[in-house]
Structure formats: structure tokens, C-alpha cells
Amino acid sequence: MDRRTVIKNLALIIGGAALLPACSQDKAKSKVALKNIDITADQEQLIGDVAETIIPKTTTPGAKDLQLHLFVLKMLDDCYKKEDQQAFVTGMGHFADQSKKLYSKTFDQLDTKTREAFLLGIEQEGKAEEAAAQKSGDEKNAAPATPPAGKYSPELKKFYSIVKRQTINGYTNSKYFMTNIVVYELVPGRYNAHFPYKQKQAV
Amino acid sequence: MANLNIDSVKERTFDAIVIGSGMSGGWAAKEFTDKGLKTLILERGRDVKHIKDYPTTNMYPWEFEHRGELPMSVQEANPIVNRCYAFGESAAHFFVKDAEHPYIQDKPFDWIRGYQVGGKSLLWARQTQRWSDFDFEGPARDGFAVDWPIRYKDIAPWYSYVEKFAGISGNRDGIAELPDGEFLPAFPLNTVEEYFRDHVKSKYKNRYVISARCAHLSTPKQIHLDQGRVQCQRRTICERGCPFGGYFSANATTIPWALKSGHATLRPFSVVESIIYDDKLGKATGVRVIDTNTKEAIEYYAKVIFVNAAALNTNLILLNSKSHRFPNGLGNDSGVLGKYVAFHNYSAHIGAEYDGAKEWTTDGRNPAGGGYIPRFRNVYKQETDFLRGYASGFSAYRYPERSWDGVGSSLKDNLANKELGPWHVGSHMMGETIPKESNFVSLDDKQKDTWGVPLLKMNIDYDDNDEKMKKDYVEQLTEMFTSAGFTNIKASTDRRAPGLDIHEMGGARMGNDPKTSILNKWNQVHSVKNVFVTDGASMTSTSCQNPSLTYMAFTARAADYAMSEMKKGNI
């Protein structure tokens, strides 16, 4: 993707938010103007690395090309409750600590495989807890199940789930994706109620 | 000075005043101006000009700052309207925000409102079915509310009249309980919708699945082109306002038509505080308006007044129009004004999957939304332990299932998956509710809004009949789905407050007897012959059809009658 497209996408992602001009940029601040949360440039970098692990650059653009980490921050700032925003910031700290604890390295020092394994571990623990909660909800009159003591704090899992959800949201609703991968038609002009479809053979 | 005053009164005098510019008010304005009557259209909200004032209509998903979601601050500030399915980043500007127009919920009621020229006609779901005598005879047969003063034959020609102008697509299905109309070609049912249609037909007597009839120009006729509208482009983002005029809204259709005549004056930012009644003359002489920008009170005068402010606001205006002759609200000799308010029960849904028709899908989008199942309960005779029944939506759809599990290039592949999953089917109930004296709105005697108008108090609730009907819907649809071979059937009911159906009706009902109703068979106030109510407030019962088409027909019919009475000198 060329620089011009990146800048254009950036403008779309940030919407009306002001971009701080690069020359006067406070090193400690995030690139995107935020109203409700304080994010440092380092934290923004971390979110960018997590987003890039979720949607990596392959033969097609990845999270960083599409500036999805800035979209994540925009959504966090505007569309989440205060307690979620606080959990996110706390969880981000836990995330950085966990990386050091598990791998003795910061997340940005890890190779892709390790990054992926780390994220999948968090995701799986969150999924297991959801399933357990679902199960206890299904069993009438059962005492609420105490969640198994997990490796990761609830805040860390909240941080990860917001980054993941909004990275995917930003990706699948990006101009790039909607004009190249799954094309969105603003004006279909047609409704064919019977359209032949060839199911691929099950592998 | 005196001359100035006379001139000023002259300037504020019209042949007709229409309060409200939405679904029904637009029709009143069109009918009067068609016949050359000098008409004032009052709208409490801002003007919304067709196309020009649809800011989001041509936006792509990625052009919305939050990709369609509303900021948390907006959601938290608007718990009521936020429950409405269409309240999102693309259409929030057409909805009333909770804090702007408070009301009092003695019982929970989600009052969804659109205060602008066009009203909620910009936002509606565009489903249009006629009533039949099974509906108009309902109260008399089943012993609730009061008898409707009209029957199907009285309104049928007016249905035809408004259908031709508005543009309604549908099939002539030949079903007695859902009379056919003047239709443009229907949007077809898809493969699985047709499968279910055929299955239901073979297994059940008097149950039908038809293509939903809707206010879209599937193929426009000359009259629609004359309105400046063109063919519906199947975009299905109608709540943003349609630049093609592909669906019926007052903004695209009746209001510009009325303005083009040269006989209409449109005055937005005009809250009607009350209707002025002259004890000596024994009739209404005009309306008292508060300009929402200047807070100035201004009086306008006319020979005839149509009240089309939307059901509950029409009640509010009438209740607040007090005079020596009518101390309890205009035309309220009977004491029923504000009472017998009813709505539609939308509180159950059912979804399932269908393992078949894998070689078929759809292409493009269907603005009609799919199929419609007319009421089949208690139609010909009483057969359950609850009164009346429900219509149901029915649609089938399939889409590529895109797992969000995992990370990395495999996740990217999943998100790009174009391989379709199985067919899904879904239905929601649309139940008739029984109007009762205990379901009412009234004015608060202390609290007023910014314009000095008393706040409306809501006392509207479900009853046992609704609960039984909801249960029956779940049972019947589950059985129909099961027998059609649908799998993974999941029915759900919710505890939503009344109002979210956005079909509130009644309060100034029609009836034969002035002792038990507010309006006569012409939608004319029994005791104030030059005031008419033709919006949802006039409804004696609710049926289970979507009501807008019926409001349009009542309005055209009442306007015609009012003009003939004016000619005769009776008004």
C-alpha cells in the first residue's frame, strides 16, 4: 500500500479527531487525540503489535498498514463504558508484565510464533471461562460456578478481547477490505431471490 | 395599528391547518392542496428536505466514524431510544433524544419519536397490509372496546387510492383476511421461503406465507415518476432517507407534492400547545403554536383542523385543549379521551436452521424483508383461551460463516471466507392487544416541558391475554418449524416495555356513540365538527397488521369528507 493510501485511511479512521502534527509531537503521547483515556506512545506501539499479530501483513495489508490500532483506540475512547476503559488500561499493564514473566522479554521482542501462542493462550482461557459460565447458567438452581483461577487476570482478558474485537471490526469494515476482499455494494440495484450456488466439496 | 392587526390575522388565517407532517399529516396536506385549499402544515421539529437533508444516505460503512455504532456517551444519555433497532450512527439524527422531550412513565413505556418534517415516515419498516372485516368486526364479535363505526367496504376504495399514489409492492394472494390491493410487482420469496410457504399450505388450513407487502417502488409507474421518485435500488438502508425516493416517506412523496401546489405553507419548529375552541361559535377556530426557537406564542386560524401529531402527541394536544365548554380536553364529553390506548405485542422471536436447498442462495438485497404470515388464530371463530391473534414475519437467509477464533493468517483467511453456511430462518410475532380503560395517557398537573406544555404520563401495560398469545406464538411457530424440518429451533421471548413496537394506537377512538368515543365514522370529533383526527390516536382496536397504510387511507377519506362538508357549508 502506498503512503498516500495510508494517509487517506488514517484520516478515515481518525474521523474528526485531530492528528497531532509530527514536528511538535510529545514523545509520550499517542498519535490519536483521545478524550477519555491517556495512552502513551509506547502503549500505542504495544496495541499496534498485538493488532498486527491478530491481523498480520501477508500478501495483503495487515493491521499496521491499515492503522487498525488507532481505530481500536478511537473505539475504546468513544464507545466503551468507563469501567471497561479502566480495565483495558490496567489489563494492558498486566499484559506487558505477563510477557516478561512467561518469556523474559517484552512483547515487541517476541517472534511471531511466540506472540501468537501467547495470544491464543489468553483467548483459550477466556473461552473456557465463558463456556463454564454458560453451563452454570443453563443448569437451573446451580450455585454460580467460581471461575477456575486462571493464568491471566480478568483485566488482561478484557484488554485482549477489546483489542481483538475492534481490530477485526476495523479490518472487516475498512475500505480496503470492503473494496478488495468482501465487496460491499452501496447500491445493489437488484434482488435475485433464486441464485444458483455451488457448494464446494467438503474436504 | 388596528389595520396592522387585521393584516396580521389575515396572514395567519388558512382554509385548513394540519398538525404534523408525517405518515398521515402529509396525506392531509396533499389532499387539501390538491383541491386548492390554502393549507398550513405545522411541524414541531426541524425541516428535513428530501435528499438534501439525508446526510448519511450515500455513506459507505468505513465512512462512519464508529462503523455504525453510537458513542457510549450517546447510548448512556438515551436509554429509551437506544433500545430501538434503527437507532445507530447512520440514522440517530432522525430520532428524538430522551432528554430533549421528557415524559413520565408511571408504567414503563418506550416512546420512540421522530420530530422533523416527515416524522417517523423516514424510519418506518415499510410493511403495508390492509385490514379486513375480520379486524373491523373484531371488537363487536369478541366483546371488547367499542364497535368500529365503519366496515371494510367503507375504507376499501381509499386503500386503493393511497396505494396507487404511495406505491405498494405485493402479490394478489386472494386471502380473505388480508385483502389484496393495487400492487406493483412483489419482491419474490427466496428458495427456502417458498419451501416453507408450500409446506405450510400443504399441512395447515388457512395458514399462509406470502411475500411481505411493502411501500417500495419495485417497478414505478408514471405517477411515481411524476413525484420525482424512481425505482427502489434494493439498498435496504432506508432509515437514512432514500435519495431515489424508492420507499414511501412523507419527505419524498406527500410533502413535496403539497408544496409544489403552491397552496401549502410549511412551518417547522412549531409545537402546537392547544387547539382554540370558541364557545360562542361552537367550533374550533385555530391553534396556539409555540415557536421552539423564539418561545413566542402565535395563533393560527382555519376553517378545518386535522390533528396528525402521532398517536400519543395527538392525545396530548386534545387533552391540553381546554375551554369552558370542554374542561377535560377537546371533544371529551365522554371522558374516554386518552384511554383505551393499545399497541402491538412484538415480544417473541424464533430462529432455526434448514439443512437443504444448498444449491441456492440469493443475490442483492430484499427491501420487503421476506415473507409475512397473516393472522391464523381465532380468525373465523374463537378457538383459543385468548382473544385475537398475531401475524408473523418470516424470512430465510444464508451467509458465509466467518469464525473470529484464533489469530494470524488463518484468522485472515476465515474473515475472507466466501463459502456459505446453512440457511437460517427467523420469525417475529406481531400480536394484537386489547384496548382497555386502564391503559391510558394523561397530563401531569405540575410538570411542563420547555414550551410550557404539560408532560404526558404513560400508564400502559401488557395483560394476561398478551402472555397467553405470546406462548401460543412460540408453540405454533415451533410446531410449524418442526414439521417443516427446520433444526436447532430457538424461540425467545423478552420483557420489553410497550412502545418499542412503535405502533401505539387509540386514546381518541372512533365509534358510533358519542358517549363512549371521541370520533365518528369520518374521523370527525363528535362534538367539534371542524376537527378531525386521522392518525394512530383514532384507532378503536389495533388488529395485527402494520397500521400506517390504514392511517393513510383514513386521512384521505376524512379529508375528502371534510371538503364536501365545507362545500355544503356544514363546516
Side-chain angles (χ1 to χ4, degrees):
Chain A
M1 189 182 294
D2 62 22
R3 186 170 168 277
R4 184 177 304 181
T5 314
V6 169
I7 289 168
K8 221 163 69 182
N9 279 344
L10 189 64
L12 281 175
I13 286 158
I14 308 304
L19 274 174
L20 297 165
C23 54
S24 69
Q25 194 168 328
D26 175 353
K27 274 279 179 287
K29 281 278 185 218
S30 154
K31 272 206 290 294
V32 52
L34 300 169
K35 291 190 290 284
N36 304 307
I37 43 175
D38 271 329
I39 298 288
T40 65
D42 286 352
Q43 288 171 323
E44 184 191 299
Q45 176 71 39
L46 173 63
I47 295 164
D49 289 338
V50 176
E52 184 67 22
T53 311
I54 295 167
I55 303 288
K57 184 183 185 75
T58 53
T59 52
T60 60
K64 282 193 174 161
D65 295 325
L66 299 168
Q67 303 279 350
L68 296 181
H69 57 301
L70 299 186
F71 176 73
V72 170
L73 284 171
K74 172 102 195 124
M75 291 301 283
L76 175 71
D77 194 43
D78 287 348
C79 295
Y80 282 83
K81 291 191 162 86
K82 201 161 195 60
E83 58 260 38
D84 287 337
Q85 292 168 342
Q86 283 161 344
F88 181 97
V89 175
T90 307
M92 187 160 41
H94 294 182
F95 182 92
D97 296 345
Q98 274 289 348
S99 176
K100 289 195 202 105
K101 199 170 132 193
L102 292 174
Y103 305 105
S104 316
K105 283 182 182 170
T106 54
F107 190 72
D108 63 320
Q109 294 166 332
L110 303 177
D111 62 41
T112 306
K113 262 205 161 29
T114 315
R115 286 184 188 189
E116 288 187 355
F118 181 26
L119 298 188
L120 286 173
I122 301 168
E123 194 168 312
Q124 270 146 13
E125 187 173 292
K127 269 204 163 20
E129 277 170 22
E130 264 171 45
Q134 178 83 38
K135 193 162 178 284
S136 79
D138 288 346
E139 287 165 13
K140 286 206 171 75
N141 308 325
T146 35
K151 204 170 2 174
Y152 306 106
S153 71
E155 291 87 355
L156 190 159
K157 286 187 288 245
K158 173 66 77 177
F159 160 76
Y160 175 70
S161 79
I162 292 176
V163 175
K164 177 153 189 198
R165 164 173 285 277
Q166 294 305 341
T167 300
I168 294 177
N169 185 20
Y171 179 62
T172 54
N173 283 296
S174 64
K175 184 176 183 182
Y176 171 78
F177 187 90
M178 287 193 148
T179 50
N180 295 284
I181 308 290
V182 176
V183 176
Y184 173 83
E185 293 179 283
L186 186 65
V187 187
R190 69 192 184 284
Y191 178 60
N192 298 321
H194 305 283
F195 198 71
Y197 177 69
K198 253 197 154 42
Q199 192 88 25
K200 278 198 194 121
Q201 292 301 310
V203 179
Chain B
M1 248 356 248
N3 272 351
L4 267 181
N5 267 338
I6 288 166
D7 281 352
S8 161
V9 168
K10 220 187 228 159
E11 271 170 25
R12 289 180 285 117
T13 302
F14 296 81
D15 296 325
I17 291 174
V18 179
I19 305 170
S21 63
M23 195 64 78
S24 63
W27 268 100
K30 172 195 170 291
E31 294 307 295
F32 288 138
T33 54
D34 271 351
K35 295 278 172 13
L37 266 64
K38 193 176 152 203
T39 306
L40 174 67
I41 310 164
L42 294 169
E43 167 52 51
R44 68 176 298 160
R46 63 188 174 104
D47 194 6
V48 170
K49 289 253 182 292
H50 181 48
I51 305 178
K52 181 176 147 305
D53 293 321
Y54 303 157
T56 59
T57 191
N58 287 323
M59 283 170 68
Y60 282 87
W62 60 84
E63 294 178 308
F64 288 95
E65 200 180 353
H66 306 96
R67 309 298 183 266
E69 206 175 312
L70 282 165
M72 188 51 66
S73 56
V74 176
Q75 295 192 51
E76 285 176 339
N78 294 284
I80 296 165
V81 68
N82 196 36
R83 285 194 277 273
C84 177
Y85 66 96
F87 185 69
E89 203 172 20
S90 71
H93 46 284
F94 293 143
F95 286 90
V96 168
K97 311 303 176 289
D98 293 9
E100 289 168 3
H101 302 276
Y103 60 98
I104 299 166
Q105 302 182 60
D106 286 348
K107 292 177 182 161
F109 187 89
D110 290 338
W111 194 12
I112 309 299
R113 294 155 292 165
Y115 290 167
Q116 61 258 330
V117 168
K120 298 193 296 294
S121 75
L122 281 167
L123 298 166
W124 67 315
R126 310 164 314 279
Q127 302 289 304
T128 45
Q129 308 96 21
R130 292 185 177 203
W131 283 38
S132 74
D133 275 338
F134 293 105
D135 304 301
F136 289 115
E137 287 169 1
R141 188 192 85 177
D142 292 342
F144 64 91
V146 291
D147 190 12
W148 274 93
I150 64 156
R151 288 297 181 262
Y152 180 66
K153 64 172 172 24
D154 300 305
I155 195 80
W158 295 99
Y159 273 136
S160 293
Y161 178 80
V162 298
E163 282 164 347
K164 282 182 206 159
F165 189 83
I168 306 294
S169 66
N171 284 315
R172 299 184 65 83
D173 299 292
I175 300 167
E177 49 270 45
L178 203 78
D180 290 331
E182 310 287 336
F183 293 143
L184 306 172
F187 291 92
L189 294 176
N190 66 34
T191 311
V192 172
E193 288 159 356
E194 283 186 348
Y195 160 75
F196 189 59
R197 175 197 66 193
D198 297 343
H199 174 82
V200 167
K201 193 175 171 182
S202 70
K203 193 167 183 300
Y204 297 92
K205 190 172 176 278
N206 297 329
R207 294 193 189 186
Y208 314 95
V209 180
I210 63 166
S211 170
R213 298 165 182 180
C214 65
H216 280 261
L217 302 179
S218 53
T219 310
K221 290 200 151 107
Q222 189 57 46
I223 182 65
H224 308 122
L225 304 177
D226 293 346
Q227 296 164 19
R229 298 165 64 199
V230 296
Q231 181 158 303
C232 164
Q233 296 300 305
R234 284 69 172 169
R235 302 192 325 154
T236 65
I237 42 177
C238 313
E239 66 281 358
R240 303 180 187 184
C242 182
F244 301 96
Y247 72 94
F248 174 91
S249 67
N251 311 67
T253 313
T254 47
I255 296 291
W257 187 271
L259 293 174
K260 205 169 55 180
S261 73
H263 304 300
T265 303
L266 175 64
R267 193 182 200 284
F269 303 114
S270 306
V271 167
V272 172
E273 184 255 349
S274 61
I275 296 165
I276 305 159
Y277 182 81
D278 188 311
D279 283 329
K280 281 196 208 64
L281 296 171
K283 65 179 185 184
T285 52
V287 300
R288 195 170 292 110
V289 163
I290 313 293
D291 184 300
T292 59
N293 294 320
T294 64
K295 303 277 199 300
E296 182 190 8
I298 313 161
E299 291 186 355
Y300 291 96
Y301 309 103
K303 297 189 191 78
V304 65
I305 297 161
F306 265 56
V307 195
N308 299 86
L312 298 184
N313 272 320
T314 288
N315 275 279
L316 196 164
I317 291 168
L318 294 173
L319 285 164
N320 201 41
S321 303
K322 291 173 178 164
S323 57
H324 182 69
R325 165 72 182 82
F326 293 110
N328 303 315
L330 190 82
N332 193 18
D333 291 335
S334 59
V336 301
L337 184 63
K339 297 173 181 170
Y340 300 94
V341 172
F343 53 98
H344 278 157
N345 177 2
Y346 271 51
S347 57
H349 312 255
I350 182 164
E353 286 177 18
Y354 179 56
D355 184 26
K358 287 198 176 5
E359 64 282 15
W360 294 102
T361 181
T362 60
D363 167 53
R365 300 199 281 269
N366 183 3
Y372 179 87
I373 306 171
R375 177 164 75 103
F376 53 78
R377 276 307 205 195
N378 305 319
V379 177
Y380 290 88
K381 62 176 195 309
Q382 184 61 35
E383 57 201 9
T384 65
D385 66 345
F386 58 86
L387 291 178
R388 316 307 295 162
Y390 44 84
S392 324
F394 175 79
S395 61
Y397 44 95
R398 70 191 300 203
Y399 49 84
E401 289 177 357
R402 300 187 174 121
S403 167
W404 284 28
D405 288 348
V407 300
S409 57
S410 67
L411 171 63
K412 270 179 102 172
D413 290 346
N414 286 342
L415 295 174
N417 171 41
K418 294 192 176 66
E419 190 69 11
L420 296 178
W423 283 91
H424 297 261
V425 293
S427 168
H428 64 281
M429 86 176 282
M430 299 177 271
E432 178 167 357
T433 70
I434 306 295
K436 296 179 294 286
E437 195 172 11
S438 56
N439 275 350
F440 67 95
V441 296
S442 57
L443 302 184
D444 192 78
D445 48 17
K446 290 188 195 64
Q447 299 181 74
K448 296 191 168 177
D449 67 16
T450 321
W451 307 280
V453 177
L455 297 193
L456 198 62
K457 290 194 292 191
M458 311 290 190
N459 276 281
I460 299 160
D461 210 344
Y462 292 98
D463 62 19
D464 191 42
N465 201 68
D466 301 320
E467 285 305 312
K468 287 176 180 164
M469 192 186 290
K470 189 194 290 202
K471 195 166 156 282
D472 188 71
Y473 165 85
V474 169
E475 284 169 7
Q476 292 305 310
L477 269 289
T478 301
E479 183 201 289
M480 288 156 80
F481 275 24
T482 306
S483 84
F486 297 156
T487 54
N488 207 5
I489 300 170
K490 285 192 172 68
S492 62
T493 58
D494 60 54
R495 309 292 312 168
R496 68 178 63 197
L500 207 52
D501 47 289
I502 328 185
H503 286 172
E504 57 270 14
M505 287 176 240
R509 69 186 178 189
M510 292 164 75
N512 290 309
D513 184 355
K515 286 195 195 65
T516 55
S517 61
I518 303 296
L519 311 171
N520 67 11
K521 66 177 175 186
W522 301 106
N523 297 72
Q524 182 180 33
V525 176
H526 284 299
S527 47
V528 189
K529 295 296 182 210
N530 67 333
V531 176
F532 290 75
V533 176
T534 64
D535 65 5
S538 66
M539 303 299 275
T540 310
S541 65
T542 73
S543 162
C544 55
Q545 283 87 300
N546 310 61
S548 298
L549 182 71
T550 301
Y551 304 161
M552 297 188 215
F554 272 142
T555 306
R557 177 176 175 264
D560 180 69
Y561 175 77
M563 288 186 280
S564 77
E565 287 294 279
M566 287 161 97
K567 267 210 187 80
K568 290 177 191 157
N570 296 336
I571 291 181

